[in-house]
Amino acid sequence: MQPPCVVLTDASALAEGASVRFRFLLDDVLRDAFAVRWQGEVYAYVDSCRHQARSLSYGDGQVLDAAEGLLVCRHHGARYVPRSGLCIEGPCRGAQLTALALRIQDGALWCMGRLTPHPPGTTSPHE
């Protein structure tokens, strides 16, 4: 099990449509990731486009196109649904970003590691 890491000490500081970059340990490798608030929910993913394993942003952590309501890879235009990480347009259509589990505790936003898929017939916070 990977150790949790603090994404933000004040989860309420992440405004609607904003994102924040962070680093965390996943499978014993330090990875870049981002969390984004969209439609009142916060989602987090490993910051690696499924097309060429490059960061979705140009290094500024901004990945959401609020007008489209999609996460956009700035390099080749792949477009992902914020709630599921599913690529719906671009060179990696049908692929999915690696989702991360989040928890808010004592006002802080924590990354708990890879989001474990839920069995059929159950729901997750991202559904």
Side-chain angles (χ1 to χ4, degrees):
M1 180 173 199
Q2 303 297 319
C5 76
V6 174
V7 176
L8 286 171
T9 56
D10 179 5
S12 67
L14 187 60
E16 180 68 25
S19 55
V20 61
R21 290 178 52 120
F22 63 97
R23 300 190 88 197
F24 75 106
L25 196 63
L26 180 66
D27 301 328
D28 297 322
V29 176
L30 193 59
R31 310 269 181 152
D32 291 319
F34 64 87
V36 61
R37 185 177 300 273
W38 179 243
Q39 295 181 338
E41 297 293 328
V42 181
Y43 305 98
Y45 298 98
V46 172
D47 189 9
S48 181
C49 181
R50 298 309 303 248
H51 175 222
Q52 290 186 338
R54 295 173 72 178
S55 170
L56 272 69
S57 76
Y58 286 130
D60 60 2
Q62 299 308 306
V63 295
L64 182 70
D65 181 329
E68 289 187 20
L70 297 170
L71 305 172
V72 179
C73 177
R74 304 297 186 225
H75 300 285
H76 296 105
R79 286 166 165 66
Y80 298 89
V81 177
R83 137 186 281 184
S84 65
L86 178 67
C87 181
I88 60 168
E89 184 179 324
C92 52
R93 186 181 183 132
Q96 219 163 354
L97 296 172
T98 301
L100 303 172
L102 297 174
R103 179 175 74 193
I104 295 177
Q105 183 175 347
D106 299 326
L109 180 64
W110 290 80
C111 176
M112 307 307 292
R114 188 184 320 267
L115 184 65
T116 306
H118 292 269
T122 65
T123 59
S124 78
H126 298 286
E127 297 178 276

